[in-house]
Amino acid sequence: MTDKMKIVWIGEKDLKKVNRQGRDYFFPRGQVVSVPEHIGYDLLQLVTCFALPETADKLIAKQKEEKETRERLEDEAIKAKELEDASKTWRVFIDGDVCNISKYAKAKLETIIVSEDLNIDPLDINQPLGVTAAEALRMAVRDALHAKSGNPELQEA
């Protein structure tokens, strides 16, 4: 009879089935399973999947912590993306009403600048590369109105 060795499945799945030398071995996650020694040493070569019982609890806790951190960072990235998308909207408050300025002509934007008393000089707008003058003015008006009255996209959320 061969010597037995105890190993633990620490992989992602709750139950792992391994076939070695024509025999199926089932490994519930985090539970000690006895296998023949030569198979145990073979499986221990997969360091992210199998471990000795002495180190398994630490490795499982570390994996759980890393997974929680990864999920938290993904959630933060999604929220940041939603916030960025909301800040890029063309919807603004003008006289207490929500308006979409995406199609406003330059003359209408200049009228809004005067009527809302925005500190924008239409002749001195920083124009990013590849953006038309009207689009640059529209972005400046949007940013100024969001700073003055708030972003309707963020208030509805």
Side-chain angles (χ1 to χ4, degrees):
M1 185 91 187
T2 61
D3 292 335
K4 293 284 186 174
M5 173 184 225
K6 294 183 179 187
I7 62 172
V8 179
W9 167 251
I10 59 169
E12 301 262 335
K13 296 180 181 178
D14 290 332
L15 180 69
K16 178 67 176 172
K17 176 182 140 184
V18 175
N19 185 305
R20 288 289 192 266
Q21 297 179 345
R23 178 159 181 241
D24 289 335
Y25 297 94
F26 292 92
F27 297 93
R29 188 169 199 265
Q31 294 183 14
V32 178
V33 176
S34 294
V35 295
E37 198 171 62
H38 66 283
I39 292 175
Y41 284 119
D42 182 37
L43 294 175
L44 285 173
Q45 298 300 311
L46 306 169
V47 293
T48 60
C49 299
F50 292 94
L52 293 172
E54 301 84 42
T55 59
D57 290 336
K58 293 177 191 173
L59 292 172
I60 290 173
K62 182 180 175 185
Q63 287 175 342
K64 184 178 179 182
E65 182 181 317
E66 289 173 353
K67 182 179 179 182
E68 289 171 354
T69 302
R70 186 171 48 252
E71 289 173 352
R72 183 179 46 79
L73 290 174
E74 289 172 356
D75 289 344
E76 289 174 2
I78 289 170
K79 288 178 184 175
K81 176 73 171 138
E82 289 173 354
L83 186 63
E84 180 183 339
D85 290 347
S87 70
K88 299 295 182 194
T89 182
W90 294 113
R91 295 178 64 202
V92 295
F93 286 115
I94 299 176
D95 291 330
D97 294 330
V98 178
C99 300
N100 185 345
I101 63 169
S102 64
K103 304 251 191 273
Y104 283 13
K106 188 175 179 184
K108 178 93 174 188
L109 293 170
E110 290 173 352
T111 303
I112 292 171
I113 291 171
V114 173
S115 68
E116 291 290 321
D117 195 29
L118 301 177
N119 190 17
I120 298 174
D121 181 7
L123 301 175
D124 188 29
I125 296 291
N126 183 13
Q127 187 174 344
L129 186 64
V131 175
T132 64
E135 192 73 17
L137 180 61
R138 191 173 293 116
M139 287 189 292
V141 169
R142 174 197 61 201
D143 294 341
L145 287 171
H146 282 178
K148 178 182 177 185
S149 305
N151 185 341
E153 297 290 327
L154 297 177
Q155 291 180 4
E156 290 175 5

